[in-house]
Amino acid sequence: MNIQTAADTVRHLLQAQNEAGHQPLAQNAIVYAPANIALCKYWGKRNLPLNLPQTSSLSISLAGHGTHARISIAEGAHALSINEVEIPADDPAAKRMFAFLDLFRACTGTYFTLKTISTVPVGAGLASSASAFASVVQALDTLFGWGLDFPAQSILARLGSGSASRSIDHGFLEWDRGQRDDGLDSYASYLPVEWPDFRIALVPISDQAKPIGSRDAMNRTVAESQLYQAWPNQVTRDLDLIRDAIEAKDILALGQAAECNAMAMHATMLASRPAILYWLPESVAALHRVWQLRADGIQVFATMDAGPNVKLIFEAKQQNAVEDAFDSIDVIDPFGYIEPDIGPLDDG
Ligand code: DP6
């Protein structure tokens, strides 16, 4: 089968299930998927319809910060509620999610009612789209009993949002860019390393709407920034450094490489025409504070995504010093997460 669109990809991955027919196993399915932060960033696509990245990327999941999703069959139209608020069909978030659900409706012939509860703190500047798309794929898989393996789940989540490909599991995940034109080798895999002392913290800077979303920003960077030519080499180097550092549980090597990678990503977008700058004065102040802490001997490192908020990387032994230096940060222990027996959507 010649795969050129997202719809082709879904049809291909659900081929066997399509032949068997789609029967929901229950009234609804409820799942949870964690958000993630890239330590080596995904920035730029090589194929827009299939949402294939220019480079590989690597992330850490955010434990209890993510999306609970409940999905059921609907009559006549999709319906979406986020945090118990009905989202109108003409809202951009609903349009994007309904377009994604339509990829599956083409196979199952059914509309869906989707309810999501995000446990990502409001104003923390974390995209909840990664965990949202991953949770929808896993909820559909559970509802219909498709039995999709992790690569297939990751590919399907990728069609909703690239970073969602890395939200199908907890821990460190690497999204391999893949080599194939059809994208069937472009999915994330779990790195088998448990690092109980690893911490990531969210420094809230601003919850104002961003001047430009990550998708448009990365497309403009690829099209307009001369510095983007250097990005694939940067990622190749940083990925090796970060993978090795995770393996060795070496926070200095990991932090240095992850911070450099984030700064380099922002440099590529700054050289776009017109320039893309997500940073606010408070973001710069937070970076200076990180660098001052390091000068004082505290091993803490920064990363930033498509927004003004700063995330901190460190180990448990530095947690008190980091909390003393930053007001109201949210410290996450990625390996300390225990699935709640009953999620917020389990009660009907
Ligand atoms: C800066 O995954 O939101 O967070 O695939 O277009 O939906 P689309 O982009 P998205 O981009 C994430 C960009 C980033 C880096 C990262 O998460 O790797």
Side-chain angles (χ1 to χ4, degrees):
M1 180 181 180
N2 187 10
I3 296 175
Q4 294 193 351
T5 63
D8 294 342
T9 310
V10 176
R11 211 173 307 124
H12 175 82
L13 290 175
L14 293 180
Q15 218 165 349
Q17 291 85 347
N18 288 340
E19 280 159 21
H22 300 274
Q23 285 303 322
L25 301 183
Q27 285 276 335
N28 57 54
I30 301 171
V31 299
Y32 172 77
N36 73 81
I37 299 281
L39 302 170
C40 187
K41 307 292 183 189
Y42 147 55
W43 196 247
K45 304 171 197 289
R46 70 172 192 280
N47 178 318
L48 268 63
L50 294 176
N51 210 22
L52 296 177
Q54 293 272 2
T55 69
S56 300
S57 57
L58 194 155
S59 62
I60 180 72
S61 68
L62 297 188
H65 291 343
T67 303
H68 296 266
R70 179 169 70 187
I71 203 152
S72 53
I73 304 289
E75 292 296 326
H78 299 306
L80 172 66
S81 77
I82 302 177
N83 295 341
E84 303 194 65
V85 176
E86 305 288 329
I87 309 297
D90 59 354
D91 182 280
K95 279 189 181 162
R96 188 167 171 195
M97 187 52 82
F98 291 173
F100 187 64
L101 292 174
D102 275 343
L103 294 172
F104 298 95
R105 183 167 71 90
C107 294
T108 63
T110 52
Y111 290 95
F112 301 101
T113 297
L114 172 64
K115 295 178 185 238
T116 64
I117 300 276
S118 170
T119 51
V120 171
V122 180
L126 277 181
S128 51
S129 57
S131 51
F133 285 108
S135 67
V136 168
V137 169
Q138 294 183 324
L140 286 167
D141 184 52
T142 307
L143 182 69
F144 290 107
W146 287 332
L148 295 170
D149 58 15
F150 275 122
Q153 291 179 23
S154 176
I155 290 171
L156 293 174
R158 186 197 80 218
L159 300 173
S161 185
S163 47
S165 70
R166 303 183 310 240
S167 269
I168 51 154
D169 205 350
H170 290 274
F172 294 109
L173 275 91
E174 180 170 347
W175 173 15
D176 187 338
R177 80 186 282 283
Q179 301 300 326
R180 295 170 57 137
D181 290 340
D182 62 13
L184 292 178
D185 56 353
S186 184
Y187 54 82
S189 311
Y190 173 73
L191 265 60
V193 176
E194 295 266 319
W195 189 345
D197 285 342
F198 186 84
R199 295 287 181 273
I200 188 150
L202 313 175
V203 184
I205 302 281
S206 167
D207 58 0
Q208 298 298 301
K210 297 187 283 191
I212 176 171
S214 51
R215 182 163 292 188
D216 290 342
M218 73 172 79
N219 289 342
R220 189 197 294 171
T221 306
V222 174
E224 298 285 341
S225 171
Q226 290 297 310
L227 296 191
Y228 191 74
Q229 290 167 25
W231 177 247
N233 287 339
Q234 172 93 32
V235 170
T236 303
R237 187 198 65 175
D238 293 343
L239 263 180
D240 282 345
L241 291 170
I242 289 171
R243 237 187 270 112
D244 289 351
I246 290 171
E247 184 79 25
K249 299 196 175 68
D250 181 342
I251 195 70
L252 176 63
L254 173 64
Q256 285 175 332
E259 187 174 292
C260 175
N261 183 267
M263 298 298 119
M265 176 185 76
H266 284 273
T268 67
M269 54 180 111
L270 200 46
S272 298
R273 243 181 1 186
I276 300 162
L277 177 62
Y278 285 111
W279 300 9
L280 294 174
E282 295 84 353
S283 320
V284 178
L287 290 176
H288 282 293
R289 204 168 316 148
V290 168
W291 296 331
Q292 184 58 51
L293 283 170
R294 282 226 292 284
D296 295 342
I298 312 293
Q299 288 194 335
V300 53
F301 305 86
T303 185
M304 292 178 70
D305 294 294
N309 300 291
V310 175
K311 290 102 185 183
L312 308 175
I313 299 160
F314 52 96
E315 278 191 304
K317 59 176 178 263
Q318 308 288 13
Q319 186 162 334
N320 288 344
V322 173
E323 282 177 330
D324 285 348
F326 289 91
D327 288 341
S328 62
I329 57 169
D330 183 1
V331 179
I332 296 161
D333 170 2
F335 295 93
Y337 180 64
I338 300 159
E339 297 266 348
D341 283 347
I342 298 187
L345 287 165
D346 293 4
D347 55 353

